[in-house]
Structures are given as C-alpha cells and as structure tokens.
Amino acid sequence: MLTSAPSLLVPMMLGALLLLPSSLSVHKGGWDNPTCTSGVVSVSRGERAEMACNISNPFVLVTICLVVSEKECRLIFKDVAQGHFSQDGWELRVEGRTAQLVMEEAQDSQAGKYKWEITGHQRSTGCTTLNISEPPAPPFTRFVFRATSPEMTFSQPKDIPQPQVRTPMGPVLLLVILFILGLGLVLSWFRRRRSTRT
C-alpha cells in the first residue's frame, strides 16, 4: 500500500530543517583548515625541537600525546586552551590560531611520533615524528683561537607546514537539502494533481 506524498513530505522537511542550522553555522564560521608540521623533524640531542599547528579559527582545545605503541599514547598535554604550559621538558604555547610544541633541549626520551588533536570549529588530528640523533662531532681545526662575535647568531630553519586541502561541506549540504525539499514538493504536487483528476 502506498502512503500519500504529503504524509512523507512533512518528516522529510522537518529532517532537512533540523540539518539546516548546523550546516549554515559551519559555513558562517568557516572551516579550520589545519596546517601542521608534517613528516619528520630531525634534531641533534640537546638542540631545540619545534612543531606547530595553525588553523583558520582560534583554538578551543589542544591535546598532544607521544605514541608509545599502536594502542598506547602517553599524554603530554590534554584539552589545553589558550596560554603557555610547561611539563617535563615540553612547552606548549597556544595563542589564537597557533599552537606550538617546543623542546628547548631535545632528549632521547622525547623522540617518537606525536599525535595532535586540535579543535577550533571542528576537531582534527595530525601526526609528526621527532627524530633525535647524536650531536655532530666538532670539526678538527688547527687554530687554537677562533674569533666570534656575539652579534653573529644564526637560527635554525623551521619546517614549513604543508597545506591540507578540504572541500567545504556546508554549501554542498545545503544544496542537497534544498534538492530533496524541491523533489518532495514536486512529487506532492504530482500526486495531488493526479488524485484530483480521478
């Protein structure tokens, strides 16, 4: 037995209307578009190591853990909001749209795969691996004295985050909802028109 189109149309329209505010709020606020230090960061033991994540919206929460095994992740920072935090040789700076994890003197115990869970308007995850190697041996020089100037300091180059391309789903979802509503209205009109002819 077929049910009438108007009785099916009402639940369809209510479902579409329930989804509409959430899709519009995502579109209005914008996607986070996270870009994090990707791949492998390699430093010598005792050197400064740095990883970062940037998003298009201000951070709400940041969680970072060091992967110990496939099933275990050692929490370093959990659900951190804006501010500066320090723990066991790790320093986390969360300012606006940037979260930066710094180890001033990287040690072997800090090497491994870091899992980031970042939340702005959406929740995203990413991973970065930190490799720590032996410091290079000092080069052999025949000179006993070497002139250095305190003005001559050089900083290490930083990893350039790789952009992640995401398709905005808000407008697509809105078009799908409008298409379903339009299809429901057309079907309802055809059934009503056919029922008035018979």
Side-chain angles (χ1 to χ4, degrees), residues 33-36 125-126 162-166:
N33 298 323
T35 56
C36 298
T125 59
Q162 299 295 322
Q164 296 177 354
V165 178
R166 289 202 173 168

Side-chain angles (χ1 to χ4, degrees), residues 37-52 64-67 76 89-90 101-116 127-133 159:
T37 305
S38 62
V40 178
V41 175
S42 297
V43 297
S44 296
R45 187 181 309 113
E47 285 185 349
R48 176 184 170 97
E50 184 178 312
M51 301 172 219
I64 301 174
C65 66
L66 181 58
V67 178
I76 300 169
W90 286 283
L101 181 64
V102 177
M103 290 137 280
E104 289 296 336
E105 295 180 1
Q107 301 301 316
D108 291 334
S109 61
Q110 295 171 319
K113 183 177 181 179
Y114 286 82
K115 180 179 174 186
W116 292 70
C127 293
T128 305
T129 302
L130 175 63
N131 283 340
I132 298 177
S133 59
D159 286 52

Side-chain angles (χ1 to χ4, degrees), residues 87-164:
Q87 173 180 306
D88 300 330
W90 286 283
E91 185 179 341
L92 179 60
R93 300 174 190 149
V94 182
E95 296 175 352
R97 297 175 173 121
T98 300
Q100 185 178 42
L101 181 64
V102 177
M103 290 137 280
E104 289 296 336
E105 295 180 1
Q107 301 301 316
D108 291 334
S109 61
Q110 295 171 319
K113 183 177 181 179
Y114 286 82
K115 180 179 174 186
W116 292 70
E117 258 189 36
I118 54 178
T119 306
H121 287 174
Q122 299 86 35
R123 175 169 278 177
S124 304
T125 59
C127 293
T128 305
T129 302
L130 175 63
N131 283 340
I132 298 177
S133 59
E134 290 290 324
F140 176 74
T141 58
R142 294 174 45 173
F143 303 105
V144 177
F145 297 104
R146 192 166 88 185
T148 60
S149 168
E151 293 86 17
M152 295 178 58
T153 58
F154 299 97
S155 62
Q156 295 291 329
K158 295 184 170 101
D159 286 52
I160 299 172
Q162 299 295 322
Q164 296 177 354

Side-chain angles (χ1 to χ4, degrees), residues 16-36:
L17 289 175
L18 289 174
L19 292 175
L20 190 60
S22 64
S23 66
L24 290 177
S25 68
V26 167
H27 179 65
K28 182 180 176 185
W31 295 96
D32 286 340
N33 298 323
T35 56
C36 298

Side-chain angles (χ1 to χ4, degrees), residues 178-190:
L178 291 174
F179 176 75
I180 291 171
L181 284 173
L183 185 63
L185 288 173
V186 168
L187 287 173
S188 173
W189 181 76
F190 275 124

